[in-house]
């Protein structure tokens, strides 16, 4: 299932339409169309952040010419979203019972009770 990628900028919830990659050896930032897969050393940006990107003094920005195209939601994404909403809204879901141990077990979460030494 493919999900819509969001902008990498903190606090931005807009869908990503561009990918930012740095070429450190050339002191260049490249802003191009959204990559097909998320890469660990690149950043997904929304249109506003892709157009407003600035770089440090001495660096160059290479930008994609033309408008950035928003990714089209696929049928898989829509189906997955519908299933998630349907599952969350189910009122007949069984709730697993919480079982308490019978008597003291000597354990509390991840901690254990050790006997004291005299």
């Amino acid at each position: 299932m493919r999900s819509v990628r969001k902008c990498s900028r903190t606090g931005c919830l807009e869908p990503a339409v561009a990918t930012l990659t740095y070429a450190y050896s050339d002191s260049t930032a490249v802003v191009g169309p959204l990559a097909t897969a998320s890469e660990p050393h690149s950043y997904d940006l929304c249109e506003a952040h892709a157009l407003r990107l600035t770089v440090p003094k001495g660096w160059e920005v290479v930008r994609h010419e033309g408008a950035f195209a928003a990714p089209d939601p696929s049928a898989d994404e829509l189906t997955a979203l519908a299933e998630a909403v349907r599952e969350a809204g189910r009122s007949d879901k069984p709730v697993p019972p919480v079982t308490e141990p019978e008597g003291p077990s000597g354990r509390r979460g991840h901690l254990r009770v050790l006997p004291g030494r005299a």
Side-chain angles (χ1 to χ4, degrees), residues 99-105 107:
T99 57
E100 294 291 327
E102 295 178 20
S105 66
R107 292 185 58 96

Side-chain angles (χ1 to χ4, degrees), residues 16-41:
V17 296
T19 297
L20 166 64
T21 307
Y22 292 106
Y24 292 99
S25 61
D26 298 326
S27 299
T28 304
V30 180
V31 180
L34 187 64
T36 55
S38 181
E39 296 291 328
H41 299 290

Side-chain angles (χ1 to χ4, degrees), residues 37-57:
S38 181
E39 296 291 328
H41 299 290
S42 62
Y43 303 91
D44 296 336
L45 299 174
C46 66
E47 186 171 14
H49 287 122
L51 295 174
R52 290 193 328 229
L53 177 79
T54 59
V55 294
K57 187 175 183 178

Side-chain angles (χ1 to χ4, degrees), residues 105-108 111-115:
S105 66
R107 292 185 58 96
R108 182 180 264 171
L111 303 175
R112 287 189 313 165
V113 176
L114 299 175

